[in-house]
Amino acid sequence: MKEAVIIKSFPNGIALHLNTDLPFEKLLEEIGYKFSEARNFFGSASLAMSIEGRKVTDAEEIMILETIRENSDLRIMCLVKREEEADQQYVKALAQTEQRAANEENGQFYRGNLKNRDVLETDNSIIMLGDVYPGSAIISAKNIIILGGLYGEAYAGGNGREGAFVAALEMKPERIKIGDFKYKPNSKQTRKILQPKVLPKIAYVKNDRIILDTLTKDLLSTFR
């Protein structure tokens, strides 16, 4: 029987080989188990990763990244597509990712959690690898993507940019503001441990109000 998940390690990256026949939920469980077992081996390295053997959607990619984050100390900086098993592909991808993160026009990355009333503010679009805890806030003049949970506040489109959005793997915010529009839940929400069945969500403005919707590949493509 074909193994569900195979992890191949390179000095600057890892290749994640996925079984094509298993249901995606079963794959997520196996990915979590594999990376939990290899936690000490990988440590807290920052690596590029390729997903091979199976085509996955953008939403599935996000859930794979979150499962790895929950079960290891790894920092997956970017996903790459490889035509050959050469570590130089990973080196190149990491270098490009760091360059994009430092470029004000293309946005930036932030690694870590926001808590204890922390505030992260930028004029660029931002991808955050971590959680925004209650009482903390992330602010961007453009778009916000959180590869973790949004339990605090998020403010996007501060420069009046049309089509701005906030996306997170787990969306339970205290408050969201996009441009001039505000969203606040009716009741106080408590944080729960992210389960594979929890779907990533995206907040955006439609008909003069903020909509929270399940994040899909087709929906995300409308913001590009």
Side-chain angles (χ1 to χ4, degrees), residues 144-157:
I144 298 172
I145 298 175
I146 301 171
L147 300 182
L150 173 57
Y151 314 113
E153 301 180 7
Y155 302 86

Side-chain angles (χ1 to χ4, degrees), residues 24 62 75 79 108 123 139 164 169:
F24 184 72
I62 291 175
R75 294 171 178 172
L79 291 174
Q108 66 186 73
D123 292 331
I139 304 169
L169 292 176

Side-chain angles (χ1 to χ4, degrees), residues 170-222:
E170 187 169 3
M171 185 81 80
K172 295 187 177 181
E174 293 178 321
R175 184 189 303 268
I176 293 177
K177 183 178 179 183
I178 300 176
D180 296 327
F181 300 94
K182 299 177 182 178
Y183 168 86
K184 187 175 181 180
N186 293 327
S187 59
K188 188 175 181 180
Q189 301 184 38
T190 56
R191 182 175 185 241
K192 296 180 181 180
I193 297 175
L194 185 68
Q195 300 295 330
K197 291 184 179 179
V198 174
L199 296 177
K201 291 189 176 181
I202 185 169
Y204 59 97
V205 176
K206 183 178 181 180
N207 297 328
D208 294 335
R209 69 187 184 98
I210 293 180
I211 303 293
L212 264 66
D213 210 344
T214 300
L215 181 61
T216 64
K217 182 178 180 181
D218 291 339
L219 181 58
L220 185 59
S221 67
T222 64

